Amino acid sequence: PAIDELAAESIVFERAYAHSPQTLPSHASMLTGQLPIEHGVRDDAGFALNAHAKTLASLLRNRGFATGAAVSSFLLRPQSGLSQGFSFFDADIPAPTTGEAPALERPGAETIDAAERWLQLQSGQRFFSAAGRASPRVLPSVVETVAQRSAPAVLHVGAAARPPLLRPASGAARAGALGAERAPRRSARH
């Protein structure tokens, strides 16, 4: 039921493509709107987003949105440059215990918990939230948390090969943002 509600109030992209099958270049493309050759991140290793790149988070932050993200993968850590424009960026990966190899990701549930804690603080203001999990499954608790907020939100949940999930907080919030009583569902073919 939660995913049906989400779809009913969302802009649906019936054809969405990742610019890269790799995690870091794909996320850089989603946040900048540029191809890997344009933003310069062409592989998971050895690349970082340029400090002068304009990201969706930085554009929204400059327009008064609170910006927050939580990620699961080591590849998306702040050193990758993807944290640009986020006032909150949680990429805490547990330190290895003695004799273990360093972790490359944390459990998706921990990432979602971090994102939900930040979302709980955003009541009554415009915000942009991004959550990158190792598993591309949307948890109903995240949908419910976003749906309870009174200001527009954008939420990205999933792996690099999966397109972003964009959703306003509620039909009423979207209508308020668009200046209409209720915004209709739109479908975009890309």
Side-chain angles (χ1 to χ4, degrees), residues 63-170:
R63 286 164 179 78
F65 282 72
T67 55
V71 298
S72 293
S73 174
F74 170 79
L75 296 170
L76 306 178
R77 67 197 184 283
Q79 295 86 338
S80 70
L82 295 185
S83 64
Q84 294 175 153
F86 288 103
S87 55
F88 168 80
F89 194 87
D90 187 303
D92 292 337
I93 295 177
T97 58
T98 306
E100 286 186 351
L104 298 178
E105 65 183 28
R106 67 175 165 185
E110 291 178 22
T111 300
I112 296 304
D113 287 346
E116 286 180 333
R117 283 191 302 273
W118 184 81
L119 282 169
Q120 294 295 331
L121 302 173
Q122 307 314 308
S123 183
Q125 64 181 338
R126 299 183 312 167
F127 64 93
F128 170 72
S129 175
R133 295 180 23 154
S135 169
R137 201 168 47 88
V138 176
L139 294 178
S141 62
V142 174
V143 174
E144 290 168 14
T145 300
V146 172
Q148 292 171 0
R149 303 289 150 242
S150 61
V154 179
L155 177 65
H156 159 239
V157 179
R162 181 182 170 109
L165 174 63
L166 303 176
R167 182 194 199 279
S170 70

